[in-house]
Amino acid sequence: MTQPPPPPNQPPQQPGFGPPQEPSEPQQPAPSAPATPPTPPAQQPPAGPDLSKAPQPGYGYPQAPGTPPPAAPPTPPQGPGYGYPQQPPAGYGYPAQQPGPYAQPGPYAQPGPYGQPQQPGPYGQQPPYGYAQPTVPMQAQAGQQGGGRKINAQVAIIVSAVVAIALIVGAGVWYASSSGKDDDKQTTAEGDTKGGKGDGKEGGGSGDGGATTGEAKEKAPASTGSKVLFQVPSPKVPKGTTSIPISGSWLTDSVYAKSGLSEITGYDRGTGTKKWTLDLPGPVCTATPHLTEDNKTAIVHKPAMPTAQDPQSCTEVAVIDLEAGTKVWSKTAKSGTMPISFNNVTLSGGTVAAGSTSGGAAWDVATGDERWAPKTSDSCYDAGYGGGPKLVAVRKCGSYDQRQLHIQTVDPASGDVLAEYKMDEGIEYAAVVSTDPLVVAADVGDSAGDGSGISDFFSIDSKTGKLRARLSAPGDEFAARCDGIYKVENCSGVTVGNDRLYIATEEHDSGGESYSQTNEVVAFDLATGKQTGQRADAGEDYEIYPLRMDGPNVIAYKRPPYDKGGQIVSIDGESFKETLLMENPSTEAVRDVESRMSPEYSEIQYGQGGLYMSSVYASDFTTREKEYSVIAFGTE
């Protein structure tokens, strides 16, 4: 996942290496155009990781007795490669590229150049993705008291290592593409107002995770060709301001809602007609993708518009009614006498929980009554929370050079710890991929090497706090990204269901004579940590990204080559058969807008025939006459 140099004229940069500071607004990286393609090399078989070998774990991996320390991780591939024609320069919504701690570029990470080939791994010529990759399932204790809250149970330390090496040939399901019949009729990105409707409850985007329940709701329409339903122009930032976050988008039965500079607007999800606008005193800093049953959600926003002299802090936590377009309540919390600037917010079990470097606080969704707040006597603090089916805290204890993360399943009403897993010392950041089943991601020992924030996934029993399995996901082999520094449940390229983790691989040569690139979605068993051998192929010159679960199936977005429209597919959770649900217009004007909404740094919602793609920043860094913060597609 090597990244190209950043473009000129960038917005403010992220903090550098070191403990996280109290940010007024986390900054996120921008994509840049790929380099001019070099002369294609002589034809070679496709390169990829050697999945027949056991992975080499990074720093902090629990060792089996008598085993030597693990080898250093391989150096990730470098340099741009042969690929697509140049993309236009980045416009609104493309913040600066500046690595933060551990080379973490931010939650919406910069994608590599179109068609960037994978270099051969450290073991020479390797088989394609989809082969089973053995890992070492581990078990560990359910921790001791995590400081500041009571834990209900203690479990004896059990450390075991069982090495199982199995080579399972994954049968790839090659996708037979089917173009939409209306593609050639769609000549501009303005589109018409015809489109499908759906229940929208599946919104939540990448990493929403959760246990698999019920049957799949998303069905293929009679015609999979989509039309542009509507677009929303990017807001103009105030004079003297370079970049403002506009993160936050939600999908309900009738409304698509999107954050603006200092407001949230609800649109008719089929026509784009404004249904309501909720004015806010300042920009939305961060938002949860989760919704309550009656379509309420939570945000963190600034108390006023930022200026060069006063950038403002993210101190206001609010609950928004997405059907009525109203603010239910707004609250703040203090650490000592100072208002807390929150980095993340989530929903679970009737509770809104927000985390920060000063600790976490929680409120009742309906009333706004406080449920807990940081204590100045605490030696640990809640850096962030994952929500949805359960509430999980990422709690940090110890000094910076001896940090230990406690992954705690907590009672959303009281904050009592129900189970706890203590990660090895030296792991500074972790992201919550799913709360049920519980899966967290971390860059152990800075071994990912690509700024993705992930070298390993940890499958944890949320009832006992025991580690079920550890899944090695080297940064040069897998394309998932998480922001464990600030927004701990913000991950892309990965989702969880069926007690499996579904993850996108990095692009690699597709083989043949075209020198094209492709990637796959592969599955890991969360009980064993091993790959299942299942594989869903993107197809030549497409990139596939899992978005969320739909019952037992995986909903995935296929980022297209430069001359085609994107696709939404449903992947059967057992057979991995792909079903095309939507294909977007291939005209240049539409492609130009869609290509700027990469799943790695944008918000993508799909539900019942509607696809909604939006940017997370507005800025004045553009040479283009017109930019869009939202583009929506629908099938008949």
Side-chain angles (χ1 to χ4, degrees):
M1 292 188 280
T2 305
Q3 303 177 12
N9 301 324
Q10 300 171 332
Q13 301 174 338
Q14 276 203 63
F17 183 86
Q21 303 298 316
E22 199 70 27
S24 60
E25 57 184 68
Q27 297 297 317
Q28 305 171 12
S32 59
T36 303
T39 303
Q43 178 63 28
Q44 300 180 18
D50 188 353
L51 299 183
S52 65
K53 293 181 178 289
Q56 297 298 317
Y59 169 78
Y61 198 107
Q63 299 295 316
T67 56
T75 302
Q78 302 291 328
Y82 179 76
Y84 295 88
Q86 296 279 354
Q87 277 189 293
Y92 288 138
Y94 287 70
Q97 169 70 22
Q98 176 65 31
Y102 294 114
Q104 173 76 7
Y108 297 94
Q110 176 176 335
Y114 279 148
Q116 178 171 332
Q118 290 295 103
Q119 300 298 322
Y123 305 110
Q125 190 62 48
Q126 300 162 335
Y129 291 104
Y131 289 84
Q133 179 172 345
T135 61
V136 183
M138 304 294 296
Q139 294 203 351
Q141 65 171 0
Q144 301 170 357
Q145 187 164 345
R149 285 202 299 264
K150 177 180 65 177
I151 187 163
N152 294 349
Q154 301 216 354
V155 182
I157 300 176
I158 302 174
V159 181
S160 63
V162 180
V163 181
I165 301 177
L167 183 63
I168 304 173
V169 177
V173 182
W174 283 101
Y175 170 72
S177 62
S178 172
S179 61
K181 66 179 182 180
D182 295 320
D183 283 6
D184 294 336
K185 298 179 182 179
Q186 187 66 53
T187 57
T188 73
E190 300 302 320
D192 59 28
T193 58
K194 297 179 182 179
K197 295 184 179 181
D199 60 15
K201 296 296 287 185
E202 299 82 13
S206 305
D208 200 22
T212 302
T213 56
E215 297 181 356
K217 296 180 180 179
E218 307 297 349
K219 308 297 181 184
S223 173
T224 56
S226 72
K227 295 181 179 180
V228 176
L229 302 179
F230 61 91
Q231 294 175 112
V232 177
S234 292
K236 302 295 183 183
V237 299
K239 186 177 181 180
T241 303
T242 57
S243 182
I244 290 180
I246 54 172
S247 60
S249 60
W250 304 269
L251 198 58
T252 76
D253 292 342
S254 58
V255 172
Y256 171 74
K258 174 61 184 172
S259 297
L261 289 186
S262 59
E263 74 279 331
I264 299 174
T265 302
Y267 303 90
D268 182 284
R269 56 177 291 168
T271 66
T273 302
K274 287 186 180 181
K275 302 187 73 170
W276 51 260
T277 298
L278 173 63
D279 292 327
L280 299 170
V284 174
C285 304
T286 185
T288 179
H290 303 297
L291 306 178
T292 63
E293 288 296 323
D294 56 352
N295 292 323
K296 292 182 176 64
T297 192
I299 64 170
V300 175
H301 66 87
K302 295 186 175 185
M305 289 298 292
T307 64
Q309 295 73 30
D310 187 0
Q312 298 291 326
S313 296
C314 301
T315 56
E316 312 297 310
V317 178
V319 166
I320 307 300
D321 186 327
L322 295 173
E323 293 297 336
T326 59
K327 183 189 292 186
V328 180
W329 53 255
S330 181
K331 299 289 181 178
T332 60
K334 292 183 177 181
S335 177
T337 60
M338 296 296 294
I340 294 174
S341 182
F342 291 103
N343 300 329
N344 58 80
V345 67
T346 196
L347 283 172
S348 180
T351 292
V352 176
S356 75
T357 56
S358 299
W363 301 266
D364 182 276
V365 170
T367 66
D369 293 341
E370 185 178 278
R371 291 190 164 170
W372 65 81
K375 297 180 177 64
T376 55
S377 60
D378 283 354
S379 60
C380 304
Y381 65 92
D382 289 357
Y385 300 93
K390 295 185 179 181
L391 185 62
V392 172
V394 177
R395 191 162 177 82
K396 292 193 174 186
C397 297
S399 61
Y400 176 74
D401 57 348
Q402 290 183 316
R403 184 85 72 204
Q404 186 173 43
L405 301 184
H406 299 206
I407 308 301
Q408 300 176 332
T409 300
V410 303
D411 184 327
S414 66
D416 289 344
V417 178
L418 305 177
E420 180 180 69
Y421 169 70
K422 291 184 179 180
M423 304 189 79
D424 292 337
E425 288 187 7
I427 301 176
E428 286 290 329
Y429 306 102
V432 179
V433 181
S434 167
T435 61
D436 185 23
L438 177 53
V439 179
V440 299
D443 186 356
V444 181
D446 194 24
S447 58
D450 63 345
S452 66
I454 305 171
S455 66
D456 297 85
F457 293 94
F458 297 78
S459 173
I460 302 168
D461 189 318
S462 61
K463 294 182 179 179
T464 66
K466 292 183 179 181
L467 183 64
R468 301 175 65 199
R470 181 166 172 171
L471 293 63
S472 178
D476 59 345
E477 298 176 17
F478 297 96
R481 292 180 177 273
C482 290
D483 177 23
I485 299 177
Y486 297 122
K487 302 178 182 180
V488 299
E489 64 173 356
N490 189 347
C491 296
S492 65
V494 61
T495 192
V496 172
N498 303 321
D499 206 34
R500 294 169 185 166
L501 180 139
Y502 301 95
I503 183 172
T505 67
E506 278 287 7
E507 275 195 298
H508 57 86
D509 292 339
S510 60
E513 299 179 356
S514 64
Y515 302 101
S516 62
Q517 299 283 292
T518 190
N519 78 325
E520 298 81 28
V521 170
V522 297
F524 284 84
D525 189 308
L526 293 177
T528 66
K530 298 178 182 179
Q531 281 198 45
T532 64
Q534 296 166 306
R535 185 181 73 186
D537 295 284
E540 189 171 300
D541 283 336
Y542 283 87
E543 295 177 73
I544 188 169
Y545 294 86
L547 298 178
R548 63 171 177 85
M549 299 302 298
D550 173 33
N553 298 342
V554 179
I555 300 298
Y557 172 72
K558 288 188 175 183
R559 192 179 187 188
Y562 72 95
D563 58 347
K564 295 182 181 179
Q567 298 175 347
I568 293 290
V569 297
S570 176
I571 304 170
D572 186 280
E574 291 301 324
S575 68
F576 258 47
K577 177 183 177 181
E578 296 179 40
T579 300
L580 180 65
L581 302 180
M582 173 182 286
E583 184 164 21
N584 294 334
S586 60
T587 54
E588 182 178 359
V590 178
R591 296 196 321 264
D592 183 62
V593 179
E594 182 180 3
S595 67
R596 293 171 178 271
M597 304 293 184
S598 165
E600 295 176 300
Y601 59 91
S602 302
E603 294 171 341
I604 300 180
Q605 309 276 5
Y606 176 82
Q608 298 299 318
L611 172 64
Y612 305 82
M613 310 177 75
S614 64
S615 57
V616 296
Y617 264 84
S619 77
D620 63 355
F621 292 98
T622 183
T623 58
R624 301 169 58 82
E625 293 183 359
K626 198 166 187 179
E627 296 286 347
Y628 295 95
S629 63
V630 175
I631 185 169
F633 300 92
T635 54
E636 295 288 353

